[in-house]
Amino acid sequence: MLSLLWDLMMAFGRASNLGFGGGPAVVPLIQIEVVERYHWMTNSEFTDALAVGNALPGPIATKLAAYVGYQEAGWLGAIVANIGVILPTALAVVLLARFLMKYSKSPALQGMLKGVRPVVVVLIAQTA
């Protein structure tokens, strides 16, 4: 059971942290982990889970993690799989925030942030 929980956490941790671009970019990586690497589901079962997950509100990665985790190891599996999705990113945000707070007065960091601002404005304007 412990090995299964570890595999759930690692599979969803890999998929969510290697995917760049949000939920739609993570889905193929989750499919590789769930269907091809660990054989927890068939392609057909994964497609059904994805369809149900897309019909529900919220991020698709956490919904798929909860579903697969629950199917494989019950509620504990759902929790562990979601920890694999959420924890690495949350830790990265905390560490980045500490870095930004520590060096917030640095002229080099101020210059980098000034360079990023126009890009953020353009990205926001394109989505509006």
Side-chain angles (χ1 to χ4, degrees), residues 90-105:
L91 289 175
V93 168
V94 168
L95 293 174
L96 182 59
R98 289 187 79 195
F99 174 80
L100 287 173
M101 295 302 290
K102 183 176 180 180
Y103 297 104
S104 63
K105 304 294 183 208

Side-chain angles (χ1 to χ4, degrees), residues 2-62:
L2 208 52
S3 174
L4 174 60
L5 294 174
W6 177 255
D7 288 344
L8 282 166
M9 189 166 71
M10 293 307 294
F12 284 97
R14 263 192 306 271
S16 69
N17 286 295
L18 295 177
F20 182 77
V26 173
V27 170
L29 298 175
I30 292 174
Q31 183 176 15
I32 289 169
E33 295 288 340
V34 170
V35 175
E36 295 176 19
R37 180 174 295 198
Y38 291 105
H39 307 286
W40 290 323
M41 292 180 161
T42 65
N43 261 328
S44 177
E45 291 169 333
F46 183 82
T47 303
D48 290 344
L50 180 61
V52 170
N54 278 325
L56 299 171
I60 190 66
T62 56

